[in-house]
Amino acid sequence: MREARVQLSALNHRIGSGVDVRDTDFDCLDLVSVYGPISPGALARLAGVRPATMTGILDRLERGGWIVRDRDAIDRRAVVLRVLPDRNAEVLDLYAGMNARLDQICADYDDAQLELIAGFLQRVQRAAADSAEELGGGRRGAS
C-alpha cells in the first residue's frame, strides 16, 4: 500500500507539474472535482488545511482557470466552488496512460473479484479518513 501511495503521488506530482499546479492545489482541485460544487470551508475540512491557506489555494486555482467561485444569488456571502470542465479535460488526457493500464489490470478479474477489491479499497479509504480525523486533520471523504 505504501509503495502504491508513493507511486500515485509521484504520478500526480508529475501531472500537476505538467499543468503548473502545486501538489496541495492539485489535491484540492481533485476534491472539488469529486465533491463539488462545494463550499470553501467544506473543502478546507476535506483537504485538512486551514481556511487562510485555502484562500491562497483557491486564488491560484481560479487564476489558472481551473475553478470558479459561484456566489449565491440571494446570499452573496455564500460561495460554492466548481471545476471548469475544459481545463479538467486537459488533466484527464494526461491520465490516459494510467487509465489504460488500470483497464488492463481490471480485465484480468471477474465481477465478483472486482467487487471484493472495490470493497477493500473503500475500507482502506475509510480507515485513512478515520485516522486523519483522529489526528485532527478533519479529512473525511465519502465512500
Side-chain angles (χ1 to χ4, degrees), residues 18-85:
V19 294
D20 199 29
V21 176
R22 298 176 186 186
D23 289 350
T24 302
D25 298 7
F26 198 61
D27 290 342
C28 289
L29 177 61
D30 192 38
L31 289 168
V32 174
S33 180
V34 171
Y35 298 106
I38 187 171
S39 72
L43 177 60
R45 284 187 297 278
L46 280 172
V49 301
R50 297 181 186 276
T53 303
M54 183 56 64
T55 299
I57 291 169
L58 297 178
D59 288 346
R60 288 188 296 274
L61 290 174
E62 191 171 42
R63 267 194 316 272
W66 295 100
I67 64 160
V68 293
R69 291 172 168 129
D70 288 330
R71 298 208 178 272
D72 186 285
I74 297 168
D75 180 0
R76 299 284 298 151
R77 295 170 297 169
V79 174
V80 292
L81 311 167
R82 65 179 173 83
V83 297
L84 292 171

Side-chain angles (χ1 to χ4, degrees), residues 3 6 11 26 35 53 62-63 81 85-86 91 97-99 101-102 112 120 126 140:
E3 185 60 27
V6 167
L11 173 64
F26 198 61
Y35 298 106
T53 303
E62 191 171 42
R63 267 194 316 272
L81 311 167
D86 292 344
V91 171
M98 180 61 177
N99 289 337
R101 287 175 181 87
L102 285 174
F120 170 78
R126 178 138 346 258
R140 190 79 176 141

